Amino acid sequence: MTNKRESIHGQWSSRWAFILAATGAAVGLGNIWKFPYIMGQNGGGAFVVLYLACILLVATPIFIAEVMLGRRARRSPVQGMTVLAQEERASPAWKYLGWMGVIAGFLILSYYSVIMGWAMAYVERAMTGSFNGLDGAALQRMFESFKANPMELLFWHSLAMLITMLVVVRGVRAGLQAFTVLLMPALFVILLLLVGYGVSTGYFGAAFSYMFTPDFSKLTAHSVVVALGHSFFTLSIGMGLIMAYGSYMPEKVSIGQTALLVVAADTTVALLAGLAIYPVVFANGLEPSAGPGLVFQTLPIAFGHMPLGVLIGTLFFALLTLAAWTSSISMIEPAIAHVVEKRGWTRVKAGIWLGLGAWLLGIASVLSFNHWNEFKLFGKTFFELLDFATSNIMLPLGGLLIAIFATWIMRRESSFDELGMSERAYTLWRILTRYVAPLGIVVIFLYGLGILA
Ligand code: TRP
């Protein structure tokens, strides 16, 4: 009797811990900053449909596969892939999948910290009432002059990297992740308030039809690749992080249900962010294609005009910072775990060196918004190139390899046993992961290369 109670309690709390960690990593700048602006750059509704299709048919099955590999290996990604490859008599080269994740996470952190710094800088502006009464044009100028000032961007980038690494080295993740319990409802409430403000502008209908009336003639090969890449970025999959988190998951927990919960929370936040931002965009005659500054140029208009705008604006950017924080601490985890395991470094030493490296690389992203904004490769600035290479190439490639390993290399018994799903759910997952997702990724890649276009 006592035993049973204990085991039930243990399972519940660990399932909860995984959900908090994974949701904390998933919900971040990707949902609130990136999704609305890439939607605007890629034709609105058609992009949303494509993104949702990628989430359901490609990213969710791979999310489940990644958790499954992690729980089976019970190790960090590089070692984990080595062990699994041995167990399944596959090539030891699979460990390079782990390696690609280590590198991708490091690269993403370098620019993520820069944007997290923007959110922090806007907490200060919101708090001091800087948005009061400003219109779209004035807020655009405010953002442009902010972006043009490398020293200010550098200051906030440094602070963002510092608080990220403090959590990473001190291992107080549990404490920060506990915020996720408060963060999610608070974010929901603020976003709903902003959607409410959007309704009051009279442009909610316009925003809604912009987001949900697809015009597929607006899609380009590029936007298809971006939608796929974003479905990986927003769920934090394809680089071994979810594998690492999955390795702490207790045996009896249903991976499928847990994954669906995380995906649902993540997708809801992204759609709400779109529904909060676009009424303001249309009400003020702004450009949906404004780019990375979109959220910083639009929502402050609302804060500057609504009752309690100073409070709500401050809370919004503070929550955005917090959401970014629970994501940024996760990105570097595969890299940290790797040097700690492999080189025997302490967490502090690993944190200092990797953090310093990511900070240095982040300076190039800072400069790409001002001094270096003319330097372009393939028509992209350094920040854009890094974002493209990681989100749209490395993550989907990692995801493709995860899907292949989980369903073509690993024996059916192994994955069936580990997932513990009903026969029907398992079959659905297997078809999606074995055929649909890999085919989707390959076709979109080829299409993106212009081969099938
Ligand atoms: N998913 C996060 C967001 O939407 C970003 C993120 C956190 C991430 N960890 C990751 C992206 C690992 C890729 C890989 O903001």
Side-chain angles (χ1 to χ4, degrees):
M1 191 63 196
T2 330
N3 258 343
K4 207 172 170 191
R5 270 174 199 274
E6 266 174 17
S7 95
I8 288 167
H9 177 70
Q11 279 167 26
W12 170 245
S13 91
S14 308
R15 171 184 145 100
W16 197 227
F18 174 85
I19 291 174
L20 288 185
T23 312
V27 176
L29 295 169
N31 306 62
I32 294 172
W33 159 75
K34 194 174 182 189
F35 174 70
Y37 92 77
I38 57 177
M39 180 211 310
Q41 284 177 332
N42 292 283
F47 180 82
V48 175
V49 169
L50 205 66
Y51 159 75
L52 292 175
C54 289
I55 290 278
L56 276 180
L57 301 176
V58 182
T60 303
I62 293 178
F63 188 108
I64 293 174
E66 196 174 327
V67 180
M68 186 267 290
L69 293 183
R71 186 163 79 178
R72 188 137 193 107
R74 295 235 175 263
R75 279 173 185 76
S76 71
V78 178
Q79 324 289 17
M81 284 315 297
T82 309
V83 171
L84 289 177
Q86 264 166 15
E87 209 173 275
E88 305 291 335
R89 302 205 168 81
S91 155
W94 279 98
K95 73 163 188 258
Y96 294 111
L97 170 54
W99 264 108
M100 187 170 69
V102 166
I103 295 166
F106 177 83
L107 296 178
I108 294 173
L109 177 64
S110 79
Y111 70 82
Y112 201 87
S113 155
V114 175
I115 313 294
M116 179 170 155
W118 295 4
M120 294 163 80
Y122 269 64
V123 174
E124 193 202 359
R125 283 174 171 70
M127 212 154 49
T128 53
S130 322
F131 308 142
N132 283 345
L134 296 190
D135 63 4
L139 281 158
Q140 194 172 346
R141 279 196 301 277
M142 179 191 281
F143 181 74
E144 291 300 328
S145 69
F146 169 61
K147 208 174 68 168
N149 183 349
M151 286 325 274
E152 195 184 356
L153 297 191
L154 180 63
F155 171 77
W156 292 108
H157 161 53
S158 311
L159 203 59
M161 189 64 81
L162 192 73
I163 64 173
T164 298
M165 296 328 287
L166 271 179
V167 173
V168 168
V169 302
R170 300 193 48 202
V172 288
R173 325 170 55 82
L176 190 65
Q177 269 144 13
F179 273 126
T180 309
V181 194
L182 296 174
L183 181 68
M184 284 301 133
L187 256 179
F188 268 61
V189 170
I190 293 262
L191 286 172
L192 283 177
L193 271 176
L194 292 171
V195 173
Y197 176 84
V199 172
S200 81
T201 63
Y203 282 84
F204 182 77
F208 194 86
S209 65
Y210 178 73
M211 281 176 65
F212 297 106
T213 317
D215 171 1
F216 288 103
S217 70
K218 289 210 178 119
L219 283 184
T220 62
H222 187 262
S223 36
V224 177
V225 175
V226 173
L228 177 75
H230 189 63
S231 71
F232 283 81
F233 184 87
T234 192
L235 292 181
S236 317
I237 59 171
M239 51 80 78
L241 166 71
I242 291 300
M243 205 186 281
Y245 281 4
S247 71
Y248 309 125
M249 218 193 205
E251 216 50 65
K252 291 259 164 57
V253 168
S254 153
I255 294 180
Q257 280 171 16
T258 310
L260 288 180
L261 213 66
V262 177
V263 172
D266 186 79
T267 309
T268 311
V269 174
L271 294 177
L272 277 181
L275 289 174
I277 289 174
Y278 276 93
V280 182
V281 170
F282 294 127
N284 293 278
L286 303 172
E287 273 303 315
S289 61
L294 187 70
V295 60
F296 298 95
Q297 296 168 21
T298 52
L299 291 185
I301 305 177
F303 302 138
H305 287 92
M306 67 188 353
L308 295 180
V310 169
L311 179 69
I312 294 173
T314 307
L315 268 176
F316 172 80
F317 284 112
L319 289 172
L320 183 58
T321 301
L322 218 51
W325 199 5
T326 58
S327 298
S328 68
I329 56 168
S330 73
M331 269 163 220
I332 194 86
E333 190 57 32
I336 298 267
H338 182 70
V339 287
V340 168
E341 273 174 30
K342 247 330 220 232
R343 312 210 165 247
W345 288 13
T346 62
R347 250 191 114 77
V348 174
K349 184 175 172 193
I352 290 175
W353 285 105
L354 288 169
L356 210 60
W359 175 78
L360 270 176
L361 187 63
I363 295 177
S365 287
V366 163
L367 293 172
S368 77
F369 288 106
N370 35 70
H371 291 320
W372 294 356
N373 63 4
E374 298 297 322
F375 288 123
K376 291 191 178 171
L377 207 60
F378 307 114
K380 292 183 177 352
T381 64
F382 181 80
F383 157 76
E384 289 165 342
L385 207 61
L386 200 57
D387 175 39
F388 191 86
T390 50
S391 315
N392 302 341
I393 298 174
M394 292 173 88
L395 298 181
L397 192 61
L400 175 64
L401 294 172
I402 288 170
I404 291 176
F405 189 88
T407 54
W408 290 92
I409 306 285
M410 199 173 213
R411 282 159 300 153
R412 194 180 194 282
E413 302 84 73
S414 308
S415 59
F416 186 76
D417 172 52
E418 195 61 45
L419 284 171
M421 293 174 169
S422 69
E423 190 70 50
R424 270 178 66 194
Y426 178 80
T427 307
L428 176 64
W429 169 79
R430 193 170 170 86
I431 291 171
L432 288 175
T433 314
R434 192 171 156 97
Y435 304 104
V436 179
L439 206 68
I441 296 173
V442 169
V443 167
I444 290 175
F445 267 178
L446 293 179
Y447 186 59
L449 285 174
I451 293 175
L452 293 183

